[in-house]
Amino acid sequence: MFNAANITTCDDEVEVEHLGFLYRMRNIRVHTYHMLKSKEVVTLILIHSGGGRREIDQGQHNIMGYQIHLMFPGQSSSFYFFKETAVYHFRIPSQNFEKLCHTLSINIKLLKDYPILQVTPYEFETLRYEFDKIRNELYRYQPPLSLILSRLATSLLEINHSLIKHIDNLAPYAYPAILNRFLELVELHYKQEHHVAYYANLLNITAKSLWMQTQQYMETSPLKLIHNRLLKEAMHLLSLGANPIKTTLIELGFEDSATFSHFFKKQTNMSPSAYQKKHLPHKKT
């Protein structure tokens, strides 16, 4: 969250928050802007124009137009703007950000190592377009989380694509072949197979070795990756309306409603029926 000191902004500030997301747009006219550490959110910032300096954990970086800035939980970061600057600020719950990165096979370490990216005006406008669409969704009475996550996924893919074009040596960030194969197997079998041991056996490695691979390259566990894929599909099916909870749990390979409800609530802090009612307010579930 931004905290301001010696700041003047234009009257066209836009701010909207929902579902843990926050969108803010400001034209900053005078000097210093600070950002505090956060344990719960990832922040994407688009710098349209202007100039200044950003400090990240005591390291200094120049601020220029057409830049993407990322801030991760635990980082100490401050912004110093020297002239009028247009800023688009989007805050994302860490849990949602990590799930999308894992689902999209985006290397989080790559994003952390390159928290500032200079892009072309076209690349910048593509991202700002997605940000504006997310803002419009957040303004709705009951924002559709699945659509917001879809647009966020598009934004992350654009950022990842831009990074890859600007980095000479991607070898340290490439997933090993066995991890790519694991992700392919999860996509093929996640509806029927929920246990790490099944995938480890197909890969001819131990479950511990698979855990070490996902921890090193994706900063998560293989079970979490399987659960993320299951949850994404469960949320999609429940939001369709034509799919009752019983049909959803059968399609996703759960033995009974109690097991499915326990899984879903553990991941979302919400029961499947409550989630469906929230996203289908005018339909009976």
Side-chain angles (χ1 to χ4, degrees), residues 221-264:
S221 70
L223 183 61
K224 187 67 175 175
L225 291 168
I226 297 167
H227 283 177
N228 286 347
R229 188 63 185 92
L230 275 168
L231 180 62
K232 180 182 177 182
E233 187 65 14
M235 294 170 71
H236 170 68
L237 293 174
L238 290 172
S239 67
L240 294 179
N243 293 274
I245 293 172
K246 186 175 181 179
T247 302
T248 297
L249 70 92
I250 292 173
E251 182 167 345
L252 295 181
F254 287 90
E255 295 178 357
D256 51 51
S257 59
T259 304
F260 176 62
S261 294
H262 176 75
F263 164 80
F264 194 88

Coordinates of all heavy atoms in Angstrom, one line a residue, residues 221-264:
S221 N 5.3 -26.6 -3.2 CA 5.4 -28.1 -3.2 C 4.6 -28.7 -4.3 O 3.7 -28.1 -4.9 CB 4.8 -28.6 -1.8 OG 3.3 -28.4 -1.8
P222 N 4.9 -30.0 -4.7 CA 4.1 -30.6 -5.8 C 2.6 -30.8 -5.4 O 1.8 -30.6 -6.3 CB 4.8 -31.9 -6.0 CG 5.6 -32.1 -4.8 CD 6.0 -30.8 -4.2
L223 N 2.4 -31.0 -4.2 CA 1.0 -31.1 -3.7 C 0.2 -29.8 -3.9 O -0.9 -29.8 -4.4 CB 0.9 -31.6 -2.3 CG -0.5 -31.9 -1.7 CD1 -1.2 -33.0 -2.5 CD2 -0.5 -32.2 -0.3
K224 N 0.9 -28.7 -3.6 CA 0.2 -27.4 -3.8 C -0.1 -27.2 -5.3 O -1.1 -26.6 -5.6 CB 1.2 -26.3 -3.3 CG 0.5 -24.9 -3.2 CD -0.6 -24.9 -2.2 CE -1.2 -23.5 -2.1 NZ -2.4 -23.4 -1.2
L225 N 0.8 -27.6 -6.2 CA 0.6 -27.4 -7.6 C -0.6 -28.2 -8.0 O -1.4 -27.7 -8.8 CB 1.8 -27.8 -8.4 CG 3.0 -26.9 -8.2 CD1 4.3 -27.5 -8.8 CD2 2.8 -25.5 -8.9
I226 N -0.7 -29.4 -7.6 CA -1.9 -30.3 -7.9 C -3.2 -29.6 -7.4 O -4.2 -29.5 -8.1 CB -1.7 -31.7 -7.3 CG1 -0.5 -32.4 -7.9 CG2 -3.0 -32.5 -7.6 CD1 -0.1 -33.6 -7.2
H227 N -3.1 -29.1 -6.1 CA -4.3 -28.5 -5.5 C -4.7 -27.2 -6.2 O -5.9 -26.9 -6.4 CB -4.0 -28.3 -4.0 CG -4.1 -29.5 -3.2 ND1 -3.8 -29.5 -1.8 CD2 -4.4 -30.8 -3.5 CE1 -4.0 -30.7 -1.3 NE2 -4.4 -31.5 -2.3
N228 N -3.7 -26.5 -6.6 CA -4.0 -25.2 -7.4 C -4.8 -25.5 -8.7 O -5.7 -24.8 -9.0 CB -2.7 -24.5 -7.7 CG -2.1 -23.8 -6.5 OD1 -2.7 -23.7 -5.5 ND2 -0.8 -23.4 -6.6
R229 N -4.3 -26.6 -9.4 CA -5.0 -26.9 -10.6 C -6.4 -27.4 -10.3 O -7.4 -27.0 -11.1 CB -4.2 -28.0 -11.4 CG -4.8 -28.2 -12.8 CD -4.7 -27.0 -13.6 NE -5.3 -27.1 -14.9 CZ -6.6 -26.8 -15.2 NH1 -7.4 -26.3 -14.2 NH2 -7.1 -26.9 -16.4
L230 N -6.6 -28.2 -9.3 CA -7.9 -28.7 -8.9 C -8.8 -27.5 -8.5 O -10.0 -27.4 -9.0 CB -7.8 -29.6 -7.7 CG -7.5 -31.1 -8.0 CD1 -7.2 -31.8 -6.8 CD2 -8.7 -31.8 -8.7
L231 N -8.3 -26.6 -7.8 CA -9.1 -25.5 -7.3 C -9.5 -24.6 -8.5 O -10.7 -24.1 -8.5 CB -8.3 -24.6 -6.3 CG -9.0 -23.4 -5.7 CD1 -10.3 -23.8 -4.9 CD2 -8.1 -22.6 -4.8
K232 N -8.6 -24.3 -9.4 CA -8.9 -23.5 -10.5 C -10.1 -24.1 -11.3 O -11.1 -23.4 -11.7 CB -7.7 -23.4 -11.4 CG -8.0 -22.5 -12.7 CD -6.8 -22.5 -13.6 CE -7.1 -21.6 -14.9 NZ -5.9 -21.6 -15.8
E233 N -10.1 -25.4 -11.5 CA -11.2 -26.0 -12.3 C -12.5 -26.1 -11.4 O -13.6 -25.9 -12.0 CB -10.8 -27.4 -12.7 CG -11.7 -28.1 -13.6 CD -11.9 -27.5 -15.0 OE1 -11.0 -26.6 -15.3 OE2 -12.8 -27.8 -15.7
A234 N -12.3 -26.3 -10.1 CA -13.5 -26.3 -9.3 C -14.2 -24.9 -9.3 O -15.5 -24.9 -9.4 CB -13.1 -26.7 -7.8
M235 N -13.5 -23.9 -9.2 CA -14.0 -22.5 -9.2 C -14.7 -22.3 -10.6 O -15.8 -21.6 -10.6 CB -13.0 -21.5 -8.9 CG -12.4 -21.6 -7.5 SD -10.9 -20.6 -7.2 CE -11.6 -18.9 -7.3
H236 N -14.1 -22.7 -11.6 CA -14.7 -22.5 -12.9 C -16.0 -23.3 -13.1 O -17.0 -22.7 -13.5 CB -13.7 -23.0 -14.0 CG -14.3 -23.1 -15.4 ND1 -14.6 -22.0 -16.1 CD2 -14.6 -24.2 -16.2 CE1 -15.1 -22.4 -17.3 NE2 -15.1 -23.7 -17.3
L237 N -16.0 -24.5 -12.7 CA -17.3 -25.3 -12.8 C -18.4 -24.8 -11.9 O -19.5 -24.7 -12.3 CB -17.0 -26.8 -12.4 CG -16.0 -27.5 -13.4 CD1 -15.7 -28.9 -12.9 CD2 -16.7 -27.6 -14.8
L238 N -18.0 -24.4 -10.7 CA -19.0 -23.9 -9.8 C -19.6 -22.6 -10.2 O -20.8 -22.3 -10.0 CB -18.5 -23.7 -8.4 CG -18.1 -25.0 -7.6 CD1 -17.4 -24.7 -6.3 CD2 -19.4 -25.8 -7.3
S239 N -18.8 -21.8 -11.0 CA -19.3 -20.5 -11.4 C -20.2 -20.6 -12.7 O -20.8 -19.6 -13.1 CB -18.1 -19.6 -11.7 OG -17.4 -20.0 -12.8
L240 N -20.3 -21.8 -13.3 CA -21.1 -21.9 -14.5 C -22.6 -22.0 -14.2 O -23.4 -21.7 -15.1 CB -20.6 -23.2 -15.3 CG -19.2 -23.2 -15.8 CD1 -18.9 -24.5 -16.5 CD2 -19.1 -22.0 -16.8
G241 N -22.9 -22.4 -13.0 CA -24.4 -22.5 -12.7 C -25.0 -23.7 -13.1 O -25.8 -24.3 -12.3
A242 N -24.7 -24.2 -14.3 CA -25.4 -25.5 -14.7 C -24.8 -26.7 -14.1 O -25.2 -27.8 -14.3 CB -25.3 -25.5 -16.2
N243 N -23.7 -26.5 -13.4 CA -23.0 -27.6 -12.7 C -23.2 -27.6 -11.2 O -22.6 -26.8 -10.5 CB -21.5 -27.5 -13.0 CG -21.1 -27.7 -14.5 OD1 -21.0 -28.8 -14.9 ND2 -21.1 -26.6 -15.2
P244 N -24.1 -28.5 -10.7 CA -24.3 -28.5 -9.3 C -23.0 -29.1 -8.6 O -22.1 -29.6 -9.2 CB -25.5 -29.5 -9.1 CG -25.4 -30.3 -10.4 CD -25.0 -29.4 -11.4
I245 N -23.0 -28.9 -7.3 CA -21.8 -29.2 -6.5 C -21.5 -30.7 -6.7 O -20.3 -31.1 -6.8 CB -21.9 -28.8 -5.1 CG1 -22.0 -27.3 -4.9 CG2 -20.8 -29.4 -4.2 CD1 -22.3 -26.8 -3.6
K246 N -22.5 -31.6 -6.7 CA -22.3 -33.0 -6.8 C -21.6 -33.3 -8.1 O -20.7 -34.2 -8.2 CB -23.6 -33.8 -6.6 CG -23.4 -35.3 -6.6 CD -24.7 -36.0 -6.3 CE -24.5 -37.5 -6.3 NZ -25.8 -38.2 -6.0
T247 N -22.1 -32.7 -9.2 CA -21.5 -33.0 -10.5 C -20.0 -32.5 -10.5 O -19.1 -33.2 -11.1 CB -22.2 -32.2 -11.6 OG1 -23.6 -32.6 -11.6 CG2 -21.6 -32.5 -13.0
T248 N -19.7 -31.4 -9.9 CA -18.3 -30.9 -9.9 C -17.4 -31.8 -9.1 O -16.3 -32.1 -9.6 CB -18.3 -29.5 -9.2 OG1 -19.1 -28.6 -10.0 CG2 -16.9 -28.9 -9.1
L249 N -17.8 -32.3 -7.9 CA -16.9 -33.1 -7.2 C -16.7 -34.5 -7.8 O -15.6 -35.0 -7.8 CB -17.5 -33.3 -5.7 CG -18.7 -34.1 -5.5 CD1 -18.3 -35.6 -5.2 CD2 -19.5 -33.6 -4.3
I250 N -17.7 -35.0 -8.5 CA -17.5 -36.2 -9.3 C -16.5 -36.0 -10.4 O -15.6 -36.9 -10.6 CB -18.9 -36.8 -9.8 CG1 -19.7 -37.2 -8.6 CG2 -18.6 -37.9 -10.8 CD1 -21.1 -37.6 -9.0
E251 N -16.7 -34.9 -11.2 CA -15.8 -34.7 -12.3 C -14.4 -34.5 -11.9 O -13.4 -34.9 -12.6 CB -16.3 -33.4 -13.1 CG -15.4 -33.1 -14.3 CD -16.1 -32.1 -15.2 OE1 -17.3 -31.8 -15.1 OE2 -15.3 -31.6 -16.1
L252 N -14.2 -34.0 -10.7 CA -12.8 -33.7 -10.2 C -12.2 -34.9 -9.3 O -11.2 -34.7 -8.8 CB -12.8 -32.4 -9.4 CG -13.1 -31.1 -10.2 CD1 -13.0 -29.9 -9.3 CD2 -12.2 -31.0 -11.3
G253 N -13.0 -36.0 -9.3 CA -12.4 -37.2 -8.7 C -12.4 -37.3 -7.2 O -11.7 -38.0 -6.6
F254 N -13.3 -36.5 -6.5 CA -13.4 -36.5 -5.1 C -14.4 -37.7 -4.7 O -15.4 -37.9 -5.4 CB -13.9 -35.2 -4.5 CG -12.8 -34.1 -4.5 CD1 -12.7 -33.3 -5.6 CD2 -11.9 -34.0 -3.5 CE1 -11.7 -32.3 -5.7 CE2 -11.0 -33.0 -3.5 CZ -10.8 -32.2 -4.6
E255 N -14.1 -38.3 -3.6 CA -14.9 -39.5 -3.2 C -16.3 -39.1 -2.7 O -17.3 -39.8 -3.0 CB -14.2 -40.3 -2.1 CG -12.9 -40.9 -2.6 CD -12.2 -41.6 -1.4 OE1 -12.7 -41.6 -0.3 OE2 -11.1 -42.2 -1.7
D256 N -16.4 -38.0 -2.0 CA -17.7 -37.6 -1.5 C -17.8 -36.1 -1.3 O -16.7 -35.4 -1.4 CB -18.0 -38.3 -0.2 CG -16.9 -38.3 0.8 OD1 -16.4 -37.1 1.1 OD2 -16.4 -39.3 1.3
S257 N -18.9 -35.6 -0.9 CA -19.1 -34.1 -0.8 C -18.3 -33.6 0.4 O -17.8 -32.5 0.4 CB -20.6 -33.8 -0.6 OG -21.1 -34.5 0.5
A258 N -18.2 -34.4 1.5 CA -17.4 -34.0 2.7 C -16.0 -33.7 2.3 O -15.4 -32.7 2.7 CB -17.6 -35.0 3.8
T259 N -15.4 -34.6 1.6 CA -14.0 -34.5 1.2 C -13.8 -33.3 0.3 O -12.8 -32.5 0.4 CB -13.5 -35.8 0.4 OG1 -13.7 -36.9 1.3 CG2 -12.0 -35.7 0.1
F260 N -14.7 -33.1 -0.7 CA -14.6 -32.0 -1.6 C -14.8 -30.6 -0.8 O -14.0 -29.7 -1.0 CB -15.6 -32.1 -2.7 CG -15.7 -30.9 -3.6 CD1 -14.6 -30.5 -4.4 CD2 -16.8 -30.1 -3.7 CE1 -14.6 -29.4 -5.2 CE2 -16.8 -29.0 -4.6 CZ -15.7 -28.7 -5.3
S261 N -15.8 -30.6 0.0 CA -16.0 -29.4 0.8 C -14.8 -29.0 1.7 O -14.5 -27.8 1.8 CB -17.3 -29.6 1.7 OG -18.4 -29.7 0.9
H262 N -14.2 -30.0 2.3 CA -13.1 -29.8 3.2 C -11.9 -29.2 2.3 O -11.3 -28.2 2.7 CB -12.6 -31.1 3.8 CG -11.4 -30.9 4.7 ND1 -11.3 -30.3 5.9 CD2 -10.1 -31.3 4.4 CE1 -10.1 -30.3 6.4 NE2 -9.3 -30.9 5.5
F263 N -11.7 -29.8 1.2 CA -10.6 -29.3 0.3 C -10.9 -27.9 -0.2 O -10.0 -27.0 -0.1 CB -10.5 -30.2 -1.0 CG -9.8 -29.6 -2.1 CD1 -8.4 -29.6 -2.1 CD2 -10.4 -29.0 -3.2 CE1 -7.7 -29.0 -3.2 CE2 -9.7 -28.4 -4.2 CZ -8.3 -28.4 -4.2
F264 N -12.1 -27.6 -0.6 CA -12.4 -26.3 -1.2 C -12.3 -25.2 -0.1 O -11.8 -24.1 -0.3 CB -13.8 -26.3 -1.8 CG -14.1 -25.1 -2.7 CD1 -13.8 -25.1 -4.0 CD2 -14.7 -24.0 -2.1 CE1 -14.0 -24.0 -4.8 CE2 -15.0 -22.9 -2.9 CZ -14.6 -22.9 -4.3

